[in-house]
Amino acid sequence: MNEDLRNIVLGVVAAGISASLGWIARTYLWRRKLRRKQAFFGLPGNSECLLVVNREAGSEGAVHRFDVFALMELSALVKDCGANAQIVQHDVAQQGFGDRTEFCVGGPYSNRRMAAHLSSLLPGVAINTDVEPGPDRGAFQIGSERYRLEAGTTEYVLLARLTAGEGGRPVFLFCGQRAITNQAATRYLARHHEKLARKHGGNSFVLLLKVVNTQAYGPDVVELVADVTRAAQSPAPAVRTSHRATSKSD
């Protein structure tokens, strides 16, 4: 009886030790994953960040529903990092870089702060903001290549992580040709941030994404066209129209 009882006690103790070690290992891995995520987004626990929102074209103070969806995607990322977000309109976000992480949504036509970021941080990027219809309306000029908008079929968006200023906190840009592409870029970031962190670490990057057939697939089908960091951060060269934009799936 004493022998059986001893075996039972030893079995319970062994099971408890194994469970404790498993819990400790899972907690360590979870915390390490969280720290990496916080470092990539510049969002340590209880920190503050800005979500800078644009306005819907032609509407005073209104936000396009796809941009609202983009803000929801970003809010979930911020919450996962244990940080807090403040949503501000593009025309009242008057502060420098680096003190707080910033997520800036929308093209330069509807977002003044995005226009300022492009001018200051990405001189190699030019975006056509003409309101009159034409083949180059909404087109991206990145370096010597031009990427035209084909609404509902082929649409482009820039996803950038940029570091500037003394604080060292990054600025994330989601600059699309249409509102639905802004949401596509935030969703791409949410899905691929671990891969991007492994590849780029804490460095700046600028990715050109193509959103395919939004009429049928919405913001879900996104392809990586190219890493355009060097071209985007270099002074703009002479213009040359690209007859065919080469892309590859991520």
Side-chain angles (χ1 to χ4, degrees), residues 9 44 57 64 82 90 96 121 124 126 128 134 145 172 188 194 229 241 247 249:
V9 171
H64 196 287
H90 67 102
L121 304 176
N128 187 305
E145 295 292 331
F172 288 87
Y188 183 93
E194 292 182 356
T229 307
T241 299
S247 65
S249 298

Side-chain angles (χ1 to χ4, degrees), residues 123-125 141-145 231 234-240:
V125 175
Q141 185 77 37
I142 306 174
S144 60
E145 295 292 331
S234 302
V239 174
R240 177 173 66 85

Side-chain angles (χ1 to χ4, degrees), residues 21 88 218 238:
L21 291 176
V88 296

Side-chain angles (χ1 to χ4, degrees), residues 54-76:
N54 62 346
R55 61 174 173 83
E56 185 175 359
S59 300
E60 185 64 31
V63 179
H64 196 287
R65 64 188 181 95
F66 288 119
D67 289 327
V68 174
F69 296 153
L71 293 176
M72 292 172 63
E73 301 263 7
L74 295 173
S75 296

Side-chain angles (χ1 to χ4, degrees), residues 195-209:
K195 177 181 177 182
L196 294 172
R198 288 194 298 269
K199 181 175 182 180
H200 300 282
N203 299 321
S204 296
F205 63 80
V206 185
L207 305 180
L208 178 66
L209 307 176

Side-chain angles (χ1 to χ4, degrees), residues 37 41 73-74 77 185-194:
K37 186 174 184 178
F41 287 109
E73 301 263 7
L74 295 173
L77 287 174
T186 59
R187 185 166 294 182
Y188 183 93
L189 180 66
R191 291 174 174 173
H192 299 282
H193 66 84
E194 292 182 356

